[in-house]
């Protein structure tokens, strides 16, 4: 078992950023600031959290989901994180929402969740993966309907559409992986590496 260095580095980076609240205002995603040239906010906004509770729940999920993906493939970890970041950022920049300020990793974590469930399902063939996926989907639907978070409460209002954007990015990642597997002739029993 190899050490999930990328996951641990991300956790440590976000903890360091939490310890430097004076820079948070420079790093939150802010729509107008991005349009004015502060492009780094498209990434840094995902690394900043509203408070330690928000950070803890995001990093606990990253530790489990990111650790699992990274154990299997660092390339898959990186591509899944990037897909989630791009998907959430496209939503935030689209003008479809009224959200002008955003922070946290939860949207991207939904991309990791979808890929981790897919990968675990491929490896184990367990029917429980489908049950877990349905529970996660029900949670997402309830959050979208209510506009609140079911499991956590943070200073800022939650933004469930970011969770949907991350979930959709995960679905695109699965379709991409299936296409790559079919193109290369890999069997469904082949592990991603």
């Amino acid at each position: 078992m190899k050490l999930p260095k990328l996951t641990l580095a991300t956790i440590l980076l976000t903890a360091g950023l939490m310890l430097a609240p004076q820079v948070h205002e420079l790093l939150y995603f802010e729509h107008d600031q991005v349009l004015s040239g502060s492009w780094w906010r498209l990434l840094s906004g995902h690394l900043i959290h509203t408070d330690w509770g928000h950070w803890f729940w995001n990093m606990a999920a990253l530790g489990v989901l990111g650790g699992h993906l990274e154990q299997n493939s660092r390339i898959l970890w990186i591509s899944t994180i990037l897909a989630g970041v791009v998907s959430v950022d496209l939503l935030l920049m689209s003008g479809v929402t009224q959200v002008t300020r955003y922070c946290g990793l939860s949207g991207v974590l939904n991309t990791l969740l979808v890929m981790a469930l897919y990968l675990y399902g491929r490896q184990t063939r367990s029917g429980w993966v489908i049950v877990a996926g349905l529970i996660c989907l029900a949670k997402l639907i309830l959050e979208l309907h209510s506009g609140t978070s079911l499991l956590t409460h943070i200073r800022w209002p939650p933004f469930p559409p970011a969770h949907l954007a991350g979930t959709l990015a995960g679905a695109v990642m699965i379709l991409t992986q299936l296409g790559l597997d079919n193109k290369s002739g890999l069997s469904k029993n082949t592990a991603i590496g």
Side-chain angles (χ1 to χ4, degrees):
M1 184 163 137
K2 56 187 172 184
L3 187 67
K5 293 176 186 173
L6 297 173
T7 300
L8 292 173
T10 303
I11 291 170
L12 291 173
L13 172 63
T14 61
L17 292 172
M18 285 300 294
L19 293 170
Q22 64 275 17
V23 300
H24 289 192
E25 289 299 322
L26 298 172
L27 301 177
Y28 290 130
F29 169 88
E30 290 192 57
H31 190 268
D32 292 343
Q33 293 291 330
V34 172
L35 291 177
S36 295
S38 300
W39 296 99
W40 66 85
R41 292 173 184 263
L42 292 168
L43 177 61
S44 65
H46 297 282
L47 301 173
I48 294 294
H49 295 81
T50 60
D51 54 44
W52 282 103
H54 184 210
W55 175 86
F56 173 80
W57 288 109
N58 275 212
M59 293 311 107
L62 178 63
V64 172
L65 300 170
H68 176 69
L69 251 85
E70 190 176 351
Q71 289 294 322
N72 287 277
S73 170
R74 285 194 176 143
I75 292 172
L76 184 62
W77 185 94
I78 292 167
S79 60
T80 302
I81 293 279
L82 289 175
V85 166
V86 167
S87 181
V88 173
D89 286 348
L90 285 173
L91 171 66
L92 293 168
M93 294 302 295
S94 70
V96 172
T97 72
Q98 298 299 322
V99 172
T100 58
R101 197 170 206 217
Y102 177 84
C103 72
L105 201 56
S106 59
V108 175
L109 289 171
N110 278 271
T111 311
L112 287 171
L113 173 63
V114 170
M115 280 307 294
L117 284 172
Y118 168 73
L119 184 59
Y120 188 74
R122 275 187 58 165
Q123 293 168 340
T124 66
R125 300 280 187 234
S126 172
W128 289 107
V129 171
I130 294 170
V131 173
L134 290 173
I135 290 169
C136 293
L137 185 58
K139 175 188 175 290
L140 175 61
I141 291 168
L142 284 171
E143 289 179 339
L144 286 167
H145 178 70
S146 69
T148 62
S149 178
L150 294 181
L151 301 177
T152 60
H153 300 287
I154 58 175
R155 285 189 341 217
W156 289 10
F159 186 53
H163 301 175
L164 176 60
T167 300
L168 294 174
V172 169
M173 290 290 297
I174 290 172
L175 294 174
T176 302
Q177 188 62 49
L178 289 172
L180 291 173
D181 290 352
N182 288 336
K183 197 177 228 181
S184 65
L186 295 177
S187 74
K188 291 183 178 182
N189 294 327
T190 305
I192 299 170

